[in-house]
Amino acid sequence: LEACQQLDKQLLLLQEPPSGEMAEDLQVGLAHADEELRITDLLASFPSGVTVVLLRYARQLSWLLGWLHLARGQPSSVSPDVRLCLFRLELTEFRRSVGLLLKVASDLRWRLPSATLPIQWARWLESAAESVRLPKGHQARYRQMREQTAMFWDNIQRAFCCTVEHVEGLADSVEQLHAAYAISLAESEAEIETCGVEKCAVCLGQEDDCPTRTTPGLA
């Protein structure tokens, strides 16, 4: 929310090149360059830039998904029904985190600045500089900086989209993991019915979530 508010505030300061009487005021171009720098810092500075933070959370979710895959198949002295309950809690938290991250990404996607805007300002300066005889070296330097900014913004958009696609892939993976969990749950319930294992302590007071809730004769 705070990142969105900061971007909204900064985006209001990003304007297209002026026309008419203001076209000859080169200070406007310099002021715009400062605003480009500020929004670039908001997007990509380390460690608090928006895309940097988004990528960091996506990596953490990848690690958590890998841990869930490994933990499900590891041998343990804990009874199967307890392990399944704990696994279900972790899986639920993972799905919630993926959903939140995708929502944040959706809110941020349309706030990314257009990579064409800096080029528009470079062309504007070249046009406006003719009437004030701005040295060619200054014009070239301004264009070079705008082109670098445009390239950087384009890379930010690409990195952002790749991160979103990665998180969407995690969402698909967690559904596959949930299906595998359901199979394990069914096998565990069959084993419980055969062996008469008592209800796990984790599920006490959580009848709707307990994998043994449908087992006849269990307390």
Side-chain angles (χ1 to χ4, degrees):
L1 178 60
E2 182 179 354
C4 289
Q5 292 174 345
Q6 290 178 339
L7 283 174
D8 287 341
K9 181 179 179 180
Q10 193 60 41
L11 285 171
L12 291 175
L13 301 176
L14 284 182
Q15 304 294 331
E16 293 186 353
S19 58
E21 297 180 357
M22 292 186 63
E24 297 181 0
D25 187 1
L26 300 184
Q27 292 297 325
V28 177
L30 297 178
H32 173 79
D34 290 338
E35 301 305 334
E36 285 184 359
L37 182 61
R38 292 189 183 95
I39 199 167
T40 300
D41 186 64
L42 280 174
L43 289 171
S45 63
F46 185 84
S48 58
V50 171
T51 54
V52 175
V53 173
L54 185 71
L55 180 59
R56 182 165 65 246
Y57 281 127
R59 287 175 176 171
Q60 290 175 355
L61 286 178
S62 295
W63 296 334
L64 177 57
L65 183 62
W67 178 82
L68 288 173
H69 272 294
L70 292 174
R72 189 171 64 89
Q74 291 296 317
S76 174
S77 58
V78 180
S79 62
D81 53 330
V82 174
R83 292 191 66 192
L84 285 171
C85 284
L86 295 175
F87 181 79
R88 188 173 190 174
L89 292 175
E90 293 289 352
L91 197 61
T92 299
E93 177 63 22
F94 181 87
R95 296 174 74 177
R96 186 187 71 84
S97 298
V98 168
L100 287 174
L101 196 58
L102 287 176
K103 182 181 184 305
V104 169
S106 177
D107 292 340
L108 291 173
R109 186 191 294 268
W110 67 270
R111 290 177 166 87
L112 298 180
S114 172
T116 63
L117 185 60
I119 303 301
Q120 294 179 34
W121 276 93
R123 293 171 180 168
W124 167 83
L125 184 78
E126 292 174 348
S127 176
E130 295 178 357
S131 59
V132 296
R133 298 181 180 179
L134 185 69
K136 293 295 183 180
H138 288 68
Q139 297 181 42
R141 177 60 177 168
Y142 188 84
R143 167 170 279 278
Q144 181 183 24
M145 293 176 64
R146 303 286 69 73
E147 289 175 347
Q148 289 176 350
T149 300
M151 183 181 299
F152 196 66
W153 285 4
D154 184 64
N155 290 337
I156 289 175
Q157 291 180 352
R158 292 175 184 273
F160 186 90
C161 291
C162 288
T163 302
V164 171
E165 290 177 359
H166 176 67
V167 176
E168 290 173 344
L170 293 178
D172 294 336
S173 296
V174 78
E175 293 306 323
Q176 297 174 9
L177 192 60
H178 180 70
Y181 162 80
I183 295 175
S184 297
L185 178 61
E187 293 175 349
S188 176
E189 288 180 337
E191 180 181 350
I192 290 171
E193 290 180 355
T194 302
C195 301
V197 179
E198 294 183 357
K199 182 188 293 185
C200 66
V202 175
C203 292
L204 292 177
Q206 301 181 23
E207 294 294 334
D208 292 338
D209 294 332
C210 180
T212 64
R213 65 185 182 280
T214 59
T215 305
L218 294 181

